Amino acid sequence: MLNAGKIIRLKRGYYQLADIDEPNETAIIHKLFPEAILCMDTALFCYNYSDRTPLEWCLAVDRNISKSRFKLSYPYVKAYYTDVKYLNIGVVNEKINGIDMKIYDRERVICDCLRQMNKRQKVTASCI
C-alpha cells in the first residue's frame, strides 16, 4: 500500500491514508504523543495570546523519554524536555479542534515563555 501510494508513513508503525486532503494534525499529535503537554508557542496560540500559527507543535515531555520519538517528517514537533517533578504542574485538559488535549494553564505558559526569553537573552549577551 505504501509503494502503491495509498498510505503515507508518518513514523515507524504510524500511517495515514494518502487521499486525505487536510489531515487533522491535532489528532495525529494526540495519537503519537498521548503523554505530551502542549506548551510555549502552541499553547499561546490555543489561548489566543498569539495570532501567529506556530510552525511546529511545542510539546512538554518527560526528559527521560526517547528523543528519537520526536524525529518526524510530519507534523513538525519541538520537544521541551522537562524534569518529571515539574512536568505536571499547571496541566489542564482543553478541547482543541474537537480533541481533549493536555495543555499548560495560562499562568504556566506565561511563566515558561518569560523563562525561555531570559535564557535566550543570556545566550545572546554572552555571544557579544
PDB file of all heavy atoms in Angstrom, residues 44-76:
ATOM      1  N   LEU A  44       0.280  29.333  23.528  1.00  0.00           N
ATOM      2  CA  LEU A  44      -0.046  30.746  23.320  1.00  0.00           C
ATOM      3  C   LEU A  44      -1.080  30.900  22.208  1.00  0.00           C
ATOM      4  O   LEU A  44      -2.029  31.673  22.324  1.00  0.00           O
ATOM      5  CB  LEU A  44       1.210  31.546  22.953  1.00  0.00           C
ATOM      6  CG  LEU A  44       2.222  31.788  24.064  1.00  0.00           C
ATOM      7  CD1 LEU A  44       3.489  32.409  23.495  1.00  0.00           C
ATOM      8  CD2 LEU A  44       1.639  32.651  25.154  1.00  0.00           C
ATOM      9  N   PHE A  45      -0.910  30.147  21.129  1.00  0.00           N
ATOM     10  CA  PHE A  45      -1.853  30.197  20.022  1.00  0.00           C
ATOM     11  C   PHE A  45      -3.219  29.642  20.424  1.00  0.00           C
ATOM     12  O   PHE A  45      -4.248  30.219  20.082  1.00  0.00           O
ATOM     13  CB  PHE A  45      -1.293  29.416  18.824  1.00  0.00           C
ATOM     14  CG  PHE A  45      -2.169  29.460  17.619  1.00  0.00           C
ATOM     15  CD1 PHE A  45      -2.263  30.606  16.853  1.00  0.00           C
ATOM     16  CD2 PHE A  45      -2.914  28.350  17.251  1.00  0.00           C
ATOM     17  CE1 PHE A  45      -3.075  30.656  15.731  1.00  0.00           C
ATOM     18  CE2 PHE A  45      -3.729  28.387  16.133  1.00  0.00           C
ATOM     19  CZ  PHE A  45      -3.815  29.540  15.376  1.00  0.00           C
ATOM     20  N   CYS A  46      -3.236  28.557  21.164  1.00  0.00           N
ATOM     21  CA  CYS A  46      -4.504  27.953  21.601  1.00  0.00           C
ATOM     22  C   CYS A  46      -5.286  28.882  22.519  1.00  0.00           C
ATOM     23  O   CYS A  46      -6.519  28.897  22.498  1.00  0.00           O
ATOM     24  CB  CYS A  46      -4.251  26.622  22.301  1.00  0.00           C
ATOM     25  SG  CYS A  46      -3.678  25.332  21.184  1.00  0.00           S
ATOM     26  N   TYR A  47      -4.588  29.667  23.315  1.00  0.00           N
ATOM     27  CA  TYR A  47      -5.241  30.616  24.225  1.00  0.00           C
ATOM     28  C   TYR A  47      -5.499  31.975  23.561  1.00  0.00           C
ATOM     29  O   TYR A  47      -5.880  32.929  24.229  1.00  0.00           O
ATOM     30  CB  TYR A  47      -4.404  30.820  25.481  1.00  0.00           C
ATOM     31  CG  TYR A  47      -4.432  29.652  26.431  1.00  0.00           C
ATOM     32  CD1 TYR A  47      -3.257  29.123  26.956  1.00  0.00           C
ATOM     33  CD2 TYR A  47      -5.629  29.080  26.831  1.00  0.00           C
ATOM     34  CE1 TYR A  47      -3.279  28.061  27.847  1.00  0.00           C
ATOM     35  CE2 TYR A  47      -5.663  28.015  27.712  1.00  0.00           C
ATOM     36  CZ  TYR A  47      -4.488  27.517  28.212  1.00  0.00           C
ATOM     37  OH  TYR A  47      -4.517  26.464  29.096  1.00  0.00           O
ATOM     38  N   ASN A  48      -5.233  32.093  22.276  1.00  0.00           N
ATOM     39  CA  ASN A  48      -5.403  33.342  21.517  1.00  0.00           C
ATOM     40  C   ASN A  48      -4.525  34.476  22.031  1.00  0.00           C
ATOM     41  O   ASN A  48      -4.877  35.641  21.902  1.00  0.00           O
ATOM     42  CB  ASN A  48      -6.874  33.780  21.485  1.00  0.00           C
ATOM     43  CG  ASN A  48      -7.730  32.830  20.698  1.00  0.00           C
ATOM     44  OD1 ASN A  48      -7.319  32.333  19.655  1.00  0.00           O
ATOM     45  ND2 ASN A  48      -8.927  32.570  21.199  1.00  0.00           N
ATOM     46  N   TYR A  49      -3.379  34.131  22.623  1.00  0.00           N
ATOM     47  CA  TYR A  49      -2.403  35.145  23.013  1.00  0.00           C
ATOM     48  C   TYR A  49      -1.504  35.509  21.838  1.00  0.00           C
ATOM     49  O   TYR A  49      -0.775  36.487  21.890  1.00  0.00           O
ATOM     50  CB  TYR A  49      -1.534  34.661  24.173  1.00  0.00           C
ATOM     51  CG  TYR A  49      -2.247  34.593  25.503  1.00  0.00           C
ATOM     52  CD1 TYR A  49      -1.816  33.715  26.492  1.00  0.00           C
ATOM     53  CD2 TYR A  49      -3.333  35.399  25.792  1.00  0.00           C
ATOM     54  CE1 TYR A  49      -2.456  33.655  27.725  1.00  0.00           C
ATOM     55  CE2 TYR A  49      -3.978  35.338  27.016  1.00  0.00           C
ATOM     56  CZ  TYR A  49      -3.532  34.462  27.964  1.00  0.00           C
ATOM     57  OH  TYR A  49      -4.157  34.397  29.181  1.00  0.00           O
ATOM     58  N   SER A  50      -1.544  34.699  20.809  1.00  0.00           N
ATOM     59  CA  SER A  50      -0.755  34.934  19.617  1.00  0.00           C
ATOM     60  C   SER A  50      -1.644  34.685  18.401  1.00  0.00           C
ATOM     61  O   SER A  50      -2.441  33.758  18.397  1.00  0.00           O
ATOM     62  CB  SER A  50       0.448  33.981  19.588  1.00  0.00           C
ATOM     63  OG  SER A  50       1.119  34.073  18.354  1.00  0.00           O
ATOM     64  N   ASP A  51      -1.492  35.526  17.389  1.00  0.00           N
ATOM     65  CA  ASP A  51      -2.270  35.309  16.174  1.00  0.00           C
ATOM     66  C   ASP A  51      -1.449  34.595  15.104  1.00  0.00           C
ATOM     67  O   ASP A  51      -1.917  34.360  14.006  1.00  0.00           O
ATOM     68  CB  ASP A  51      -2.831  36.620  15.637  1.00  0.00           C
ATOM     69  CG  ASP A  51      -1.764  37.632  15.321  1.00  0.00           C
ATOM     70  OD1 ASP A  51      -0.585  37.377  15.630  1.00  0.00           O
ATOM     71  OD2 ASP A  51      -2.102  38.689  14.762  1.00  0.00           O
ATOM     72  N   ARG A  52      -0.224  34.255  15.430  1.00  0.00           N
ATOM     73  CA  ARG A  52       0.649  33.525  14.517  1.00  0.00           C
ATOM     74  C   ARG A  52       0.468  32.024  14.713  1.00  0.00           C
ATOM     75  O   ARG A  52       0.618  31.521  15.823  1.00  0.00           O
ATOM     76  CB  ARG A  52       2.110  33.834  14.796  1.00  0.00           C
ATOM     77  CG  ARG A  52       2.612  34.999  14.104  1.00  0.00           C
ATOM     78  CD  ARG A  52       4.101  35.042  14.276  1.00  0.00           C
ATOM     79  NE  ARG A  52       4.624  36.033  13.383  1.00  0.00           N
ATOM     80  CZ  ARG A  52       5.836  36.485  13.440  1.00  0.00           C
ATOM     81  NH1 ARG A  52       6.658  36.030  14.352  1.00  0.00           N
ATOM     82  NH2 ARG A  52       6.233  37.385  12.594  1.00  0.00           N
ATOM     83  N   THR A  53       0.186  31.331  13.632  1.00  0.00           N
ATOM     84  CA  THR A  53       0.115  29.874  13.711  1.00  0.00           C
ATOM     85  C   THR A  53       1.534  29.352  13.862  1.00  0.00           C
ATOM     86  O   THR A  53       2.401  29.662  13.043  1.00  0.00           O
ATOM     87  CB  THR A  53      -0.516  29.295  12.428  1.00  0.00           C
ATOM     88  OG1 THR A  53      -1.793  29.898  12.234  1.00  0.00           O
ATOM     89  CG2 THR A  53      -0.664  27.795  12.523  1.00  0.00           C
ATOM     90  N   PRO A  54       1.792  28.585  14.920  1.00  0.00           N
ATOM     91  CA  PRO A  54       3.155  28.079  15.133  1.00  0.00           C
ATOM     92  C   PRO A  54       3.602  27.175  13.985  1.00  0.00           C
ATOM     93  O   PRO A  54       2.804  26.438  13.408  1.00  0.00           O
ATOM     94  CB  PRO A  54       3.048  27.275  16.433  1.00  0.00           C
ATOM     95  CG  PRO A  54       1.785  27.728  17.072  1.00  0.00           C
ATOM     96  CD  PRO A  54       0.884  28.183  15.984  1.00  0.00           C
ATOM     97  N   LEU A  55       4.879  27.246  13.663  1.00  0.00           N
ATOM     98  CA  LEU A  55       5.437  26.404  12.609  1.00  0.00           C
ATOM     99  C   LEU A  55       5.572  24.952  13.059  1.00  0.00           C
ATOM    100  O   LEU A  55       5.626  24.052  12.241  1.00  0.00           O
ATOM    101  CB  LEU A  55       6.809  26.932  12.183  1.00  0.00           C
ATOM    102  CG  LEU A  55       6.822  28.328  11.585  1.00  0.00           C
ATOM    103  CD1 LEU A  55       8.247  28.782  11.320  1.00  0.00           C
ATOM    104  CD2 LEU A  55       5.999  28.358  10.313  1.00  0.00           C
ATOM    105  N   GLU A  56       5.663  24.763  14.369  1.00  0.00           N
ATOM    106  CA  GLU A  56       5.825  23.421  14.919  1.00  0.00           C
ATOM    107  C   GLU A  56       5.002  23.286  16.185  1.00  0.00           C
ATOM    108  O   GLU A  56       4.640  24.273  16.803  1.00  0.00           O
ATOM    109  CB  GLU A  56       7.303  23.148  15.200  1.00  0.00           C
ATOM    110  CG  GLU A  56       7.925  24.165  16.131  1.00  0.00           C
ATOM    111  CD  GLU A  56       9.429  24.201  16.073  1.00  0.00           C
ATOM    112  OE1 GLU A  56      10.027  23.427  15.323  1.00  0.00           O
ATOM    113  OE2 GLU A  56      10.009  25.009  16.799  1.00  0.00           O
ATOM    114  N   TRP A  57       4.684  22.046  16.528  1.00  0.00           N
ATOM    115  CA  TRP A  57       3.954  21.765  17.759  1.00  0.00           C
ATOM    116  C   TRP A  57       4.958  21.740  18.898  1.00  0.00           C
ATOM    117  O   TRP A  57       5.906  20.959  18.875  1.00  0.00           O
ATOM    118  CB  TRP A  57       3.261  20.418  17.656  1.00  0.00           C
ATOM    119  CG  TRP A  57       2.078  20.434  16.761  1.00  0.00           C
ATOM    120  CD1 TRP A  57       2.071  20.304  15.403  1.00  0.00           C
ATOM    121  CD2 TRP A  57       0.721  20.599  17.148  1.00  0.00           C
ATOM    122  NE1 TRP A  57       0.785  20.383  14.933  1.00  0.00           N
ATOM    123  CE2 TRP A  57      -0.057  20.550  15.977  1.00  0.00           C
ATOM    124  CE3 TRP A  57       0.086  20.763  18.379  1.00  0.00           C
ATOM    125  CZ2 TRP A  57      -1.443  20.671  16.002  1.00  0.00           C
ATOM    126  CZ3 TRP A  57      -1.281  20.885  18.393  1.00  0.00           C
ATOM    127  CH2 TRP A  57      -2.033  20.844  17.221  1.00  0.00           C
ATOM    128  N   CYS A  58       4.776  22.590  19.894  1.00  0.00           N
ATOM    129  CA  CYS A  58       5.640  22.625  21.065  1.00  0.00           C
ATOM    130  C   CYS A  58       5.038  21.709  22.120  1.00  0.00           C
ATOM    131  O   CYS A  58       3.910  21.933  22.571  1.00  0.00           O
ATOM    132  CB  CYS A  58       5.769  24.048  21.603  1.00  0.00           C
ATOM    133  SG  CYS A  58       6.492  25.189  20.419  1.00  0.00           S
ATOM    134  N   LEU A  59       5.797  20.689  22.505  1.00  0.00           N
ATOM    135  CA  LEU A  59       5.303  19.681  23.435  1.00  0.00           C
ATOM    136  C   LEU A  59       6.257  19.535  24.614  1.00  0.00           C
ATOM    137  O   LEU A  59       7.466  19.392  24.419  1.00  0.00           O
ATOM    138  CB  LEU A  59       5.190  18.324  22.732  1.00  0.00           C
ATOM    139  CG  LEU A  59       4.364  18.272  21.452  1.00  0.00           C
ATOM    140  CD1 LEU A  59       4.487  16.900  20.819  1.00  0.00           C
ATOM    141  CD2 LEU A  59       2.919  18.605  21.752  1.00  0.00           C
ATOM    142  N   ALA A  60       5.707  19.577  25.813  1.00  0.00           N
ATOM    143  CA  ALA A  60       6.490  19.318  27.015  1.00  0.00           C
ATOM    144  C   ALA A  60       6.384  17.832  27.322  1.00  0.00           C
ATOM    145  O   ALA A  60       5.287  17.271  27.342  1.00  0.00           O
ATOM    146  CB  ALA A  60       5.962  20.140  28.188  1.00  0.00           C
ATOM    147  N   VAL A  61       7.535  17.192  27.522  1.00  0.00           N
ATOM    148  CA  VAL A  61       7.581  15.759  27.804  1.00  0.00           C
ATOM    149  C   VAL A  61       8.624  15.482  28.876  1.00  0.00           C
ATOM    150  O   VAL A  61       9.487  16.306  29.157  1.00  0.00           O
ATOM    151  CB  VAL A  61       7.904  14.945  26.537  1.00  0.00           C
ATOM    152  CG1 VAL A  61       6.781  15.036  25.527  1.00  0.00           C
ATOM    153  CG2 VAL A  61       9.209  15.373  25.920  1.00  0.00           C
ATOM    154  N   ASP A  62       8.534  14.298  29.445  1.00  0.00           N
ATOM    155  CA  ASP A  62       9.498  13.841  30.447  1.00  0.00           C
ATOM    156  C   ASP A  62      10.890  13.817  29.816  1.00  0.00           C
ATOM    157  O   ASP A  62      11.067  13.349  28.691  1.00  0.00           O
ATOM    158  CB  ASP A  62       9.091  12.445  30.921  1.00  0.00           C
ATOM    159  CG  ASP A  62      10.000  11.883  31.990  1.00  0.00           C
ATOM    160  OD1 ASP A  62      10.973  12.551  32.393  1.00  0.00           O
ATOM    161  OD2 ASP A  62       9.723  10.758  32.439  1.00  0.00           O
ATOM    162  N   ARG A  63      11.866  14.314  30.519  1.00  0.00           N
ATOM    163  CA  ARG A  63      13.211  14.383  29.948  1.00  0.00           C
ATOM    164  C   ARG A  63      13.846  13.008  29.754  1.00  0.00           C
ATOM    165  O   ARG A  63      14.841  12.876  29.056  1.00  0.00           O
ATOM    166  CB  ARG A  63      14.114  15.261  30.798  1.00  0.00           C
ATOM    167  CG  ARG A  63      14.510  14.658  32.119  1.00  0.00           C
ATOM    168  CD  ARG A  63      15.473  15.550  32.820  1.00  0.00           C
ATOM    169  NE  ARG A  63      15.921  14.902  34.040  1.00  0.00           N
ATOM    170  CZ  ARG A  63      16.741  15.429  34.885  1.00  0.00           C
ATOM    171  NH1 ARG A  63      17.205  16.640  34.642  1.00  0.00           N
ATOM    172  NH2 ARG A  63      17.090  14.800  35.965  1.00  0.00           N
ATOM    173  N   ASN A  64      13.272  11.978  30.362  1.00  0.00           N
ATOM    174  CA  ASN A  64      13.808  10.631  30.216  1.00  0.00           C
ATOM    175  C   ASN A  64      13.203   9.865  29.033  1.00  0.00           C
ATOM    176  O   ASN A  64      13.557   8.718  28.798  1.00  0.00           O
ATOM    177  CB  ASN A  64      13.572   9.830  31.506  1.00  0.00           C
ATOM    178  CG  ASN A  64      14.294  10.449  32.675  1.00  0.00           C
ATOM    179  OD1 ASN A  64      15.430  10.894  32.561  1.00  0.00           O
ATOM    180  ND2 ASN A  64      13.626  10.509  33.814  1.00  0.00           N
ATOM    181  N   ILE A  65      12.331  10.493  28.298  1.00  0.00           N
ATOM    182  CA  ILE A  65      11.680   9.845  27.157  1.00  0.00           C
ATOM    183  C   ILE A  65      12.666   9.781  25.978  1.00  0.00           C
ATOM    184  O   ILE A  65      13.566  10.615  25.867  1.00  0.00           O
ATOM    185  CB  ILE A  65      10.386  10.600  26.780  1.00  0.00           C
ATOM    186  CG1 ILE A  65       9.445   9.731  25.994  1.00  0.00           C
ATOM    187  CG2 ILE A  65      10.689  11.863  26.018  1.00  0.00           C
ATOM    188  CD1 ILE A  65       8.036  10.301  25.900  1.00  0.00           C
ATOM    189  N   SER A  66      12.483   8.810  25.112  1.00  0.00           N
ATOM    190  CA  SER A  66      13.363   8.638  23.958  1.00  0.00           C
ATOM    191  C   SER A  66      13.272   9.839  23.019  1.00  0.00           C
ATOM    192  O   SER A  66      12.188  10.229  22.589  1.00  0.00           O
ATOM    193  CB  SER A  66      12.973   7.368  23.205  1.00  0.00           C
ATOM    194  OG  SER A  66      13.688   7.286  22.007  1.00  0.00           O
ATOM    195  N   LYS A  67      14.397  10.415  22.703  1.00  0.00           N
ATOM    196  CA  LYS A  67      14.462  11.598  21.833  1.00  0.00           C
ATOM    197  C   LYS A  67      14.100  11.246  20.390  1.00  0.00           C
ATOM    198  O   LYS A  67      13.609  12.081  19.649  1.00  0.00           O
ATOM    199  CB  LYS A  67      15.856  12.215  21.866  1.00  0.00           C
ATOM    200  CG  LYS A  67      16.446  12.385  23.256  1.00  0.00           C
ATOM    201  CD  LYS A  67      16.035  13.633  23.931  1.00  0.00           C
ATOM    202  CE  LYS A  67      16.742  13.878  25.224  1.00  0.00           C
ATOM    203  NZ  LYS A  67      16.244  13.268  26.398  1.00  0.00           N
ATOM    204  N   SER A  68      14.314  10.014  19.991  1.00  0.00           N
ATOM    205  CA  SER A  68      14.051   9.616  18.608  1.00  0.00           C
ATOM    206  C   SER A  68      12.561   9.630  18.270  1.00  0.00           C
ATOM    207  O   SER A  68      12.198   9.697  17.099  1.00  0.00           O
ATOM    208  CB  SER A  68      14.638   8.233  18.331  1.00  0.00           C
ATOM    209  OG  SER A  68      13.995   7.258  19.126  1.00  0.00           O
ATOM    210  N   ARG A  69      11.692   9.573  19.262  1.00  0.00           N
ATOM    211  CA  ARG A  69      10.246   9.603  19.016  1.00  0.00           C
ATOM    212  C   ARG A  69       9.805  10.898  18.352  1.00  0.00           C
ATOM    213  O   ARG A  69       8.768  10.951  17.710  1.00  0.00           O
ATOM    214  CB  ARG A  69       9.470   9.466  20.328  1.00  0.00           C
ATOM    215  CG  ARG A  69       9.505   8.089  20.909  1.00  0.00           C
ATOM    216  CD  ARG A  69       8.617   7.981  22.118  1.00  0.00           C
ATOM    217  NE  ARG A  69       7.231   8.265  21.768  1.00  0.00           N
ATOM    218  CZ  ARG A  69       6.301   8.588  22.651  1.00  0.00           C
ATOM    219  NH1 ARG A  69       6.604   8.674  23.921  1.00  0.00           N
ATOM    220  NH2 ARG A  69       5.065   8.834  22.280  1.00  0.00           N
ATOM    221  N   PHE A  70      10.583  11.953  18.509  1.00  0.00           N
ATOM    222  CA  PHE A  70      10.186  13.273  18.030  1.00  0.00           C
ATOM    223  C   PHE A  70      10.817  13.637  16.694  1.00  0.00           C
ATOM    224  O   PHE A  70      10.673  14.755  16.231  1.00  0.00           O
ATOM    225  CB  PHE A  70      10.502  14.321  19.098  1.00  0.00           C
ATOM    226  CG  PHE A  70       9.781  14.042  20.374  1.00  0.00           C
ATOM    227  CD1 PHE A  70      10.389  13.348  21.398  1.00  0.00           C
ATOM    228  CD2 PHE A  70       8.463  14.420  20.527  1.00  0.00           C
ATOM    229  CE1 PHE A  70       9.704  13.056  22.568  1.00  0.00           C
ATOM    230  CE2 PHE A  70       7.764  14.127  21.687  1.00  0.00           C
ATOM    231  CZ  PHE A  70       8.392  13.443  22.708  1.00  0.00           C
ATOM    232  N   LYS A  71      11.498  12.681  16.078  1.00  0.00           N
ATOM    233  CA  LYS A  71      12.079  12.907  14.750  1.00  0.00           C
ATOM    234  C   LYS A  71      11.053  12.475  13.709  1.00  0.00           C
ATOM    235  O   LYS A  71      10.981  11.324  13.327  1.00  0.00           O
ATOM    236  CB  LYS A  71      13.381  12.138  14.602  1.00  0.00           C
ATOM    237  CG  LYS A  71      14.458  12.650  15.510  1.00  0.00           C
ATOM    238  CD  LYS A  71      15.724  11.884  15.369  1.00  0.00           C
ATOM    239  CE  LYS A  71      16.754  12.419  16.364  1.00  0.00           C
ATOM    240  NZ  LYS A  71      17.978  11.634  16.344  1.00  0.00           N
ATOM    241  N   LEU A  72      10.248  13.427  13.289  1.00  0.00           N
ATOM    242  CA  LEU A  72       9.180  13.176  12.333  1.00  0.00           C
ATOM    243  C   LEU A  72       9.346  14.082  11.127  1.00  0.00           C
ATOM    244  O   LEU A  72       9.815  15.213  11.251  1.00  0.00           O
ATOM    245  CB  LEU A  72       7.813  13.487  12.954  1.00  0.00           C
ATOM    246  CG  LEU A  72       7.351  12.705  14.153  1.00  0.00           C
ATOM    247  CD1 LEU A  72       6.092  13.332  14.717  1.00  0.00           C
ATOM    248  CD2 LEU A  72       7.069  11.277  13.770  1.00  0.00           C
ATOM    249  N   SER A  73       8.911  13.592   9.976  1.00  0.00           N
ATOM    250  CA  SER A  73       8.887  14.464   8.808  1.00  0.00           C
ATOM    251  C   SER A  73       7.604  15.286   8.788  1.00  0.00           C
ATOM    252  O   SER A  73       7.545  16.352   8.200  1.00  0.00           O
ATOM    253  CB  SER A  73       9.006  13.638   7.531  1.00  0.00           C
ATOM    254  OG  SER A  73       7.950  12.703   7.451  1.00  0.00           O
ATOM    255  N   TYR A  74       6.566  14.762   9.431  1.00  0.00           N
ATOM    256  CA  TYR A  74       5.288  15.467   9.533  1.00  0.00           C
ATOM    257  C   TYR A  74       4.512  14.877  10.694  1.00  0.00           C
ATOM    258  O   TYR A  74       4.501  13.660  10.837  1.00  0.00           O
ATOM    259  CB  TYR A  74       4.484  15.316   8.242  1.00  0.00           C
ATOM    260  CG  TYR A  74       3.119  15.950   8.329  1.00  0.00           C
ATOM    261  CD1 TYR A  74       2.972  17.303   8.110  1.00  0.00           C
ATOM    262  CD2 TYR A  74       2.005  15.202   8.672  1.00  0.00           C
ATOM    263  CE1 TYR A  74       1.728  17.897   8.213  1.00  0.00           C
ATOM    264  CE2 TYR A  74       0.753  15.797   8.776  1.00  0.00           C
ATOM    265  CZ  TYR A  74       0.630  17.130   8.543  1.00  0.00           C
ATOM    266  OH  TYR A  74      -0.587  17.722   8.657  1.00  0.00           O
ATOM    267  N   PRO A  75       3.863  15.657  11.472  1.00  0.00           N
ATOM    268  CA  PRO A  75       3.925  17.110  11.635  1.00  0.00           C
ATOM    269  C   PRO A  75       5.211  17.523  12.345  1.00  0.00           C
ATOM    270  O   PRO A  75       5.857  16.717  13.002  1.00  0.00           O
ATOM    271  CB  PRO A  75       2.694  17.415  12.487  1.00  0.00           C
ATOM    272  CG  PRO A  75       2.418  16.171  13.238  1.00  0.00           C
ATOM    273  CD  PRO A  75       2.897  15.042  12.376  1.00  0.00           C
ATOM    274  N   TYR A  76       5.550  18.780  12.198  1.00  0.00           N
ATOM    275  CA  TYR A  76       6.764  19.294  12.825  1.00  0.00           C
ATOM    276  C   TYR A  76       6.541  19.421  14.328  1.00  0.00           C
ATOM    277  O   TYR A  76       5.551  19.993  14.766  1.00  0.00           O
ATOM    278  CB  TYR A  76       7.151  20.651  12.237  1.00  0.00           C
ATOM    279  CG  TYR A  76       7.384  20.587  10.751  1.00  0.00           C
ATOM    280  CD1 TYR A  76       6.548  21.257   9.870  1.00  0.00           C
ATOM    281  CD2 TYR A  76       8.425  19.842  10.238  1.00  0.00           C
ATOM    282  CE1 TYR A  76       6.752  21.193   8.507  1.00  0.00           C
ATOM    283  CE2 TYR A  76       8.637  19.761   8.869  1.00  0.00           C
ATOM    284  CZ  TYR A  76       7.799  20.441   8.011  1.00  0.00           C
ATOM    285  OH  TYR A  76       8.002  20.364   6.665  1.00  0.00           O
TER     286      TYR A  76
END
